[in-house]
Amino acid sequence: MSDSSYDDGRTSGWTIGWVLFAAVMMMMTGLFQAIEGLAAIIKNEFYLVTPRYAFEFDVTAWGWIHLIVGIVVAVAGWFILQGQLWARIIGITAAVLSAIANFFFIPHYPFWSLLIITLDVFAIWALCVYGKAEARVSGMRN
């Protein structure tokens, strides 16, 4: 997509599609992350505790972190679907925090953590390329 598409009011369906993808992925991964957090809170023996890990927290503490971040990510995803600018800002911030939390959680649940980090990076990218021109043309409020 060239810069001229922003100037003449046309928008890329790809861009809007990526934002829709980001919003849905944020709602889904936020829900999964909240469930992951609940599992750690309810039964903290569910996750393997790696010995001698540099960033050692109690698994229950990780559970609360994942529960809170997951809820924020899911709610931000919902409001991104509504076309709210503040939700895009919160969504980018929440996705960054989610990626950081999952980076520190890699020793406990490596595959899942790496998957969530990957989806967070795609969501951040999609939310960063979505501009005012797309919001105006797509009918979403910005």
Side-chain angles (χ1 to χ4, degrees):
M1 178 169 65
S2 69
D3 289 330
S4 64
S5 66
Y6 290 104
D7 298 333
D8 62 10
R10 289 183 295 149
T11 188
S12 168
W14 283 99
T15 303
I16 294 171
W18 276 111
V19 171
L20 180 62
F21 170 80
V24 171
M25 284 295 109
M26 287 178 70
M27 289 187 300
M28 189 173 72
T29 59
L31 178 65
F32 287 160
Q33 193 164 353
I35 292 170
E36 176 183 26
L38 281 175
I41 293 168
I42 294 169
K43 187 172 182 177
N44 63 356
E45 298 88 24
F46 180 74
Y47 296 107
L48 173 68
V49 179
T50 307
R52 297 173 32 147
Y53 181 50
F55 304 103
E56 190 172 325
F57 285 109
D58 180 49
V59 176
T60 305
W62 277 121
W64 283 106
I65 291 169
H66 283 288
L67 178 64
I68 292 167
V69 171
I71 290 170
V72 171
V73 169
V75 169
W78 172 257
F79 282 105
I80 289 167
L81 283 178
Q82 307 302 315
Q84 301 294 325
L85 174 62
W86 62 267
R88 283 179 38 216
I89 295 166
I90 298 294
I92 292 169
T93 304
V96 167
L97 291 175
S98 172
I100 291 169
N102 278 288
F103 173 78
F104 289 127
F105 202 67
I106 287 174
H108 299 288
Y109 216 46
F111 177 76
W112 182 255
S113 295
L114 293 173
L115 176 66
I116 297 298
I117 291 169
T118 303
L119 292 173
D120 285 336
V121 169
F122 278 123
I124 292 165
W125 174 81
L127 294 175
C128 287
V129 299
Y130 184 71
K132 288 184 179 182
E134 286 85 0
R136 184 179 65 244
V137 173
S138 69
M140 298 175 109
R141 290 176 286 148
N142 197 1

